[in-house]
Amino acid sequence: MANPISAGDTAWILTSTALVLLMTPGLAFFYGGMVRKKNILSTLNLSFIMMGVISVQWVLYGYTLAFGKNVAGLFGDLSYLGFSGVTGVAGPYSSNIPHLAFAAFQMMFAVITPALITGAFVERIRFKTFLVFAVLWATIVYDPLCHWVWGDGGWMGAMGALDFAGGTVVHIAAGFSALAFAIAIGPRKGFPKAPMEPHNIPYTVLGAGLLWFGWFGFNAGSSLAADGLASYAFVNTNTAAAAAAVSWMLVSWTDAGKPSVLGIATGAVVGLVAITPAAGFVTPLGAIVIGAVGAPISYYAIRFRQKRNLDESLDVWACHGMAGTWGALATGLFAAPEVNKAAGLFYGNPGQLGIQAISVAVTICFVFLVTFVLAKILDGIMGLRVETLEEEVGLDLSEHGERAYS
Amino acid sequence: MLKKIEAIIREDKLNDVKDALHAVGIRGMNVFEIRGQGRQGGITLAGRSGTYQVDMLPKMQINIILSEDNVDETIAAILKGGRTGDAGDGLIFVYPVDEAVRIRTGERGHEAVMYPGDIDEKKKKGAA
């Protein structure tokens, strides 16, 4: 029998895996620039350490919970425990690439998702508690949700929900978990009266650039082949980010009087979030609408959050939760059959929007409730936040015994 | 009698003030980056969504130790270089100084804060 593995596809997926990995340090800088300088190392590390902790978790048992043989449509069994049976030959999810390449590509998604949540609780989180939270969250929220959407036999995928690269699994999950965690942990000391200015917006712009670059792997790699669909996803990714950056600039210019650079960088990321579920289903013109509309949704979601005096510090909910929700629903509107066989409302299939809405609603309820309860339990056992004095000194010194700038 | 001039000025006026001080012959000075608030109140910055207020503003502080005789010319130079006419131009304070010692030479008092080509030399040449 001929070897079915394609060298071209494998090369692209391994490259994409590295691209998605780079998004996590990119995210670290995106977030790091927005905190006060006494907390930059802590904030960078909350993302960076996920490359350590979750990579190991994924190899040991995370992958099999997400992609093992289906148990009741809810999670995977333990057949791939410790990556056993995950080898250099094709697997059930990939006839054209090694099973190991698929598992590695998926690993990077599992790594960045809890890192995204960290924006909610920067500058006050107890690091030890965060580590426990991240492992438990990956185990009882991410891995099952990933199975529901992408696992063979997972109920959301079986229902026909479209999520090309993780709008639901990654962005809605992270965004609404962030909201739940922010409510559980409470605001930073002095919020909202004390000034909490971003200390290094250049870091944030650098981080947004790295995220944009890495997102080509995230979305175009999700085609799992170096093919025409990957090309659609690639172009849609860039187009939506571009449209959202311009759209955010115009909204900010009109609303605040000046086009904020922090806003433009945020807009690009919001466009990337919004296109994620749709990247392999819509046309580039659809991507422009998805990006351009996503920006004001997140912009005014931030305003709503500010008015509620809720310290969801770096707006993970507004940027990932709300833009992810918009992107998932927009996939049900703009999915074009000529791209990837699926049709949305504008192509004569209104039912798709309903399916998308169900998957969004269930995901939001599931991640919000489980995260909130998990955070409250950990608060009772270990404490979610550092002592007041430690918070005032800053987490770089109090949690890590280091300072970023000497 | 030695005096200390402490001038709080706009960040963006540092070069103009320095040039004006050089023009009258003030050579020695120290400059500090500071933050503070006064009549200017706060400024509005563009944020991620909308705007926000900052009430501790960055300013520059210039310290000069000099002879009492040179205080008026120095204040005039700072006013000339630092004024825009809007709130936020800053303040000048003058203090008495008990002693000054140049570490390299051990010179004390006026001798310690004199520089080649400075305001005192200019005045001497003018008188001669």
Side-chain angles (χ1 to χ4, degrees), chain A residues 40-90:
Chain A
I40 167 97
L41 292 178
S42 155
T43 301
L44 291 173
N45 184 56
L46 290 175
S47 291
F48 200 89
I49 192 62
M50 289 298 95
M51 295 196 286
V53 171
I54 301 299
S55 293
V56 173
Q57 185 265 0
W58 190 251
V59 170
L60 290 179
Y61 67 88
Y63 178 69
T64 199
L65 288 184
F67 291 100
K69 288 187 188 68
N70 180 42
V71 179
L74 296 177
F75 49 87
D77 72 3
L78 299 181
S79 47
Y80 301 130
L81 200 63
F83 264 23
S84 65
V86 182
T87 66
V89 300

Side-chain angles (χ1 to χ4, degrees), chain A residues 349-369:
Chain A
N349 180 20
Q352 189 62 48
L353 185 60
I355 293 172
Q356 296 302 104
I358 292 170
S359 73
V360 167
V362 172
T363 304
I364 289 174
C365 294
F366 170 67
V367 302
F368 186 92
L369 283 174

